[in-house]
Amino acid sequence: MTVEALLVRSWRPLASSCRPWERRVLLGASAQLWNEASAALLNWEVKTRSGFKIDPQVPAVAGQQPVITIGAGLLRVVEPVEVMEVAEEEHWVGFSYRTLPGHPVQGVEAFILERVGQQVFLRVRSVTEPSDVPSWRRVFWLLIAAQWVTRWRYLRALKP
C-alpha cells in the first residue's frame, strides 16, 4: 500500500454526518528520531503512549483486528478496530484503521509520519460519526470532547 492510497482512503467521509479532523505537527529533526518514531508508530505506541492498551500489541498489519481499551474496571472502554492499510516508504510510514461494530464511534483514523529532509512530522487524521450502538449515540457529544483530549495526546506521543 502506498502512502497516497492510505491518505485517500483514510479521508473518505463515510456519510454527511461525518466529522473530519486533521493535524500535522513537527516532532523534531534527525535520522535517529525518524528511525525511532517509525518503529514506535508501527508498534501502536502513538496509542499506548496516549493511555490506550492494544491486544495483541504487535506491529500493525492490514487485516489485523486488535482490541483497543482505555480505562479500568467499570470505566473501561473497549474499541474494536480493523487495520485497513499499512504503508512504509522511504519518507513516509503510517497506518489506518476503521472502527468495528460496538466501537463508541464509527469512522477511520490514520497516523502518518513524514520525513522532509531531517524534519519528522506526524499527521493524524480521523473521520468520525456517531456509533451504531444506541447508548454510545446518546453520549456522542461527550465522545467528541474526549477525542480532543486524546488527539492532543497523539500529537505529543512520539515527541522525544
Side-chain angles (χ1 to χ4, degrees):
M1 173 60 52
T2 66
V3 170
E4 289 82 10
L6 189 154
L7 285 167
V8 168
R9 286 189 47 149
S10 69
W11 201 240
R12 186 177 2 185
L14 303 174
S16 61
S17 61
C18 288
R19 301 170 59 96
W21 183 89
E22 177 177 12
R23 292 292 183 279
R24 180 176 180 250
V25 295
L26 175 65
L27 299 179
S30 75
Q32 179 180 350
L33 173 60
W34 171 256
N35 293 334
E36 291 173 359
S38 296
L41 180 78
L42 293 176
N43 282 297
W44 293 89
E45 290 184 38
V46 72
K47 296 287 285 185
T48 59
R49 292 180 187 183
S50 298
F52 293 86
K53 292 181 181 151
I54 310 295
D55 185 28
Q57 188 173 349
V58 296
V61 175
Q64 172 188 35
Q65 292 187 354
V67 176
I68 301 172
T69 58
I70 190 162
L74 295 175
L75 295 177
R76 186 177 146 206
V77 176
V78 178
E79 300 182 344
V81 302
E82 179 179 27
V83 177
M84 295 170 48
E85 279 101 16
V86 177
E88 292 184 75
E89 298 176 11
E90 184 178 355
H91 298 287
W92 299 83
V93 172
F95 71 96
S96 64
Y97 64 80
R98 67 182 182 93
T99 63
L100 294 175
H103 195 286
V105 299
Q106 291 185 82
V108 175
E109 196 156 54
F111 303 97
I112 302 158
L113 282 176
E114 177 185 3
R115 180 170 55 184
V116 179
Q118 289 293 308
Q119 294 183 317
V120 180
F121 295 89
L122 172 65
R123 179 188 313 256
V124 179
R125 292 182 135 182
S126 69
V127 179
T128 306
E129 65 179 327
S131 174
D132 57 348
V133 177
S135 58
W136 285 123
R137 287 181 83 80
R138 285 192 284 278
V139 295
F140 184 64
W141 61 276
L142 282 173
L143 298 173
I144 295 301
Q147 278 185 331
W148 282 103
V149 173
T150 300
R151 290 169 178 161
W152 178 82
R153 290 178 179 173
Y154 290 161
L155 295 173
R156 286 150 184 77
L158 299 180
K159 285 192 175 187

